[in-house]
Amino acid sequence: MHFVAHGAGTPVLAIHGWTPDHRLMLGCLEPLFGRRAGYRRLYPDLPGMGRSPAPPSVASSDDVLAELDAFVGREIGDAPFLVIGESYGGYLARALARVRRSQVRGLALICPIGTAVEHADRTVPAHQVLRPDPGLVAGLEPHLAEEFAGMAVVQTPETLRRWREEVLTGLDAADRDAMARIRQRWVLRLDPEDGPPFERPTVLLTGRQDASVGYLDQFALLPHYPRATFAVLDVAGHNLQFEQPALFDALMEEWLDRVAAE
């Protein structure tokens, strides 16, 4: 698996969502960790995404999880580490916290898939734009306008810039054939919440206007995470990390403080 690493100290594994690549996590986390010494951040590309190939043997989410677990074995070994996951990456992060329960000292979930994995089963609000900029969208090529406007709750030059740099770059790099193969067996055989509760500091961030994964299915996860801060951010969709960056930073900083206090 291709990856980028920054810093030194306690390992932090950052797992991006379905279709983008490591740049999705790099963009929102490096400014945060740039203010905090003592962490080695690992940003892998999941199989079939970014620069990580997905051979025919990778044909399900269980196979992706196995590749991710093997990556942890190579790069982190038996050391304690933190896990941050976004969307589909949040689904895998929870599963990894089950597999490596004794090692994972903190878990951060950003707009994660909730209790309902398949799109048709999710409880989500209708897409809503709360900060529109028609002129901004009109200036884009039609296919880009459709992609950006179809998910953005906040339409500003800054959210467009970050969407281009952190999301679109990964969308363009994905191996669509490999992803279609994996998508056929997308649900993990074992539920991430199978087993005893995860009793380490956790933060679970959701967007009130997230039309992709919503926020209600994530609330149902809370009994399994007794040390979780759960936040539903208004004026935020599936890209809450750059639609509400100040709140994102504050809640992530507080999570890191709780992890450090342990």
Side-chain angles (χ1 to χ4, degrees), residues 2-4 6 14 22 25-26 29-30 41-45:
H2 171 261
F3 72 100
V4 170
H6 292 291
H22 74 276
M25 309 303 287
L26 195 76
L29 295 180
E30 277 308 292
R41 291 88 67 191
L42 299 165
Y43 300 97
D45 287 337

Side-chain angles (χ1 to χ4, degrees), residues 16-21 48-50 88 167 169-174 176 179:
H16 64 79
W18 184 251
T19 312
D21 63 14
M49 291 163 257
Y88 176 72
V167 179
T169 48
L171 302 184
D172 291 341
R176 301 289 175 164
M179 294 184 67

Side-chain angles (χ1 to χ4, degrees), residues 47 86 90 97 107 113 120 128 135 154 241:
E86 191 271 347
L107 180 64
I113 290 173
Q128 186 178 13
V154 179
Q241 68 275 17

Side-chain angles (χ1 to χ4, degrees), residues 58-82:
V58 179
S60 68
S61 286
D62 285 293
D63 295 332
V64 174
L65 178 61
E67 292 288 324
L68 196 57
D69 185 57
F71 174 82
V72 172
R74 291 192 302 272
E75 296 298 326
I76 299 175
D78 296 328
F81 67 104
L82 313 183

